[in-house]
Amino acid sequence: MYVDSHCHLSFAELHDQVPRIRQAMQQAQVDAALCICTTLEEFERVHALALENDNFWCTVGVHPDNEGVTEPDLATLVALAQRPRVVGLGETGLDYYDMPGRKGGRTIADMQWQRDRFRTHIRAARQVRKPLVIHTRDSTADTLRILREEGEDGAGNLAGGVFHCFVEDVAAARQVLDLGYYVSFSGIVTFKNAHAVHESARFVPLDRLLIETDSPYLAPVPHRGKTNEPAYVAHVGQHIAQLRNITPQALGEATSRNFKTLFRGVDAS
């Protein structure tokens, strides 16, 4: 019924609990999960999860906020993206949150390495024609600009993709949709005061909507503050269904169908 389109089961909080996590998913009617890569050092562990579990798939990529890790080059990303059960590139994008305070006095201009890294992922995704999983935080204008400059402009898309853990308003959602991209909502949509997210979750067309946990982070109500896991994506789906005045079944079926449409390798893996 549901698919968790973004989780981090390779992280220490969850990796040793995969058998229990899969049982909980079955009980919650969560049929599949996409395991997201955040460093090249992590990739083999992420990939193993997809190879060893028939309802898991994975991505390859380096998170925009990770420093002191192996820098991805085009050839490496292209090669890894063509491995079995790798269905997307990312998590990639831009993260300008709380600058310059969080970055030791550096400015957005100093973040050219993030923008270069993002372009490398886009070019790899376009080469292998697999979708991007995009992280954008306080950086929407630059994220959209770079996608357009690289040819992902809604007309010349070779990759496509999804803006994960969407927390912005309807105006930003409209720009993402205009590029032909999907929008994914996390447990934040269940938070009482997340008004802009609620409005965006109502606005995004049902055929461009995904749901996720971003586990182990951002557990939805009624588990807020606890370690998140894929089974909890059911709460995300149920809350969005309520916001849109449709049944959870309809929401689950639509988002699962969207997942298979976007991540084209799922049915073939």
Side-chain angles (χ1 to χ4, degrees):
M1 180 173 176
Y2 298 111
V3 173
D4 183 357
S5 68
H6 193 112
C7 60
H8 298 281
L9 300 187
S10 60
F11 285 13
E13 297 94 324
L14 298 174
H15 187 261
D16 294 335
Q17 301 181 52
V18 168
R20 182 198 63 76
I21 287 168
R22 294 187 76 208
Q23 288 182 347
M25 288 171 62
Q26 185 176 18
Q27 292 171 358
Q29 295 184 285
V30 179
D31 299 325
L34 182 60
C35 300
I36 302 296
C37 182
T38 62
T39 66
L40 293 180
E41 287 83 353
E42 177 196 22
F43 173 74
E44 294 298 342
R45 177 180 285 194
V46 176
H47 191 221
L49 286 166
L51 292 176
E52 294 167 3
N53 299 280
D54 62 4
N55 59 340
F56 290 172
W57 286 266
C58 75
T59 66
V60 58
V62 181
H63 191 286
D65 212 28
N66 280 336
E67 298 186 72
V69 298
T70 300
E71 191 63 30
D73 58 50
L74 182 63
T76 298
L77 289 175
V78 166
L80 294 178
Q82 296 181 85
R83 289 198 187 180
R85 301 186 74 82
V86 180
V87 296
L89 279 289
E91 173 175 359
T92 185
L94 302 173
D95 193 320
Y96 297 162
Y97 174 68
D98 194 27
M99 292 184 62
R102 188 172 58 98
K103 291 291 186 181
R106 289 179 292 176
T107 67
I108 290 174
D110 295 324
M111 294 296 103
Q112 185 59 41
W113 59 273
Q114 279 198 6
R115 294 183 284 275
D116 292 343
R117 180 186 286 178
F118 185 29
R119 289 183 189 275
T120 299
H121 283 80
I122 297 168
R123 292 168 188 176
R126 286 174 63 82
Q127 185 167 326
V128 299
R129 300 199 175 203
K130 291 186 177 182
L132 292 153
V133 176
I134 295 177
H135 169 110
T136 181
R137 195 175 188 193
D138 292 352
S139 56
T140 302
D142 271 3
T143 302
L144 294 168
R145 174 182 60 81
I146 290 171
L147 283 167
R148 293 187 188 103
E149 289 175 357
E150 293 293 329
E152 292 292 301
D153 56 6
N157 290 1
L158 295 178
V162 57
F163 277 61
H164 105 92
C165 194
F166 195 79
V167 295
E168 301 194 55
D169 61 15
V170 166
R174 184 177 286 109
Q175 293 183 74
V176 171
L177 295 166
D178 285 346
L179 289 190
Y181 277 61
Y182 288 70
V183 179
S184 180
F185 294 93
S186 71
I188 293 173
V189 77
T190 71
F191 298 174
K192 181 178 180 180
N193 294 324
H195 303 301
V197 182
H198 299 163
E199 289 303 311
S200 292
R202 293 188 184 99
F203 169 76
V204 173
L206 192 58
D207 64 355
R208 301 281 286 283
L209 181 70
L210 294 176
I211 55 175
E212 64 173 271
T213 60
D214 202 13
S215 51
Y217 311 118
L218 302 176
V221 175
H223 302 287
R224 188 173 181 181
K226 299 178 182 178
T227 300
N228 203 1
E229 61 179 88
Y232 295 169
V233 81
H235 297 292
V236 178
Q238 290 159 9
H239 194 84
I240 295 175
Q242 184 176 20
L243 287 171
R244 299 177 69 105
N245 196 30
I246 61 175
T247 66
Q249 181 78 26
L251 190 286
E253 290 175 355
T255 53
S256 295
R257 183 168 57 249
N258 296 342
F259 178 80
K260 292 179 181 179
T261 299
L262 176 61
F263 295 100
R264 298 173 289 277
V266 166
D267 286 334
S269 296

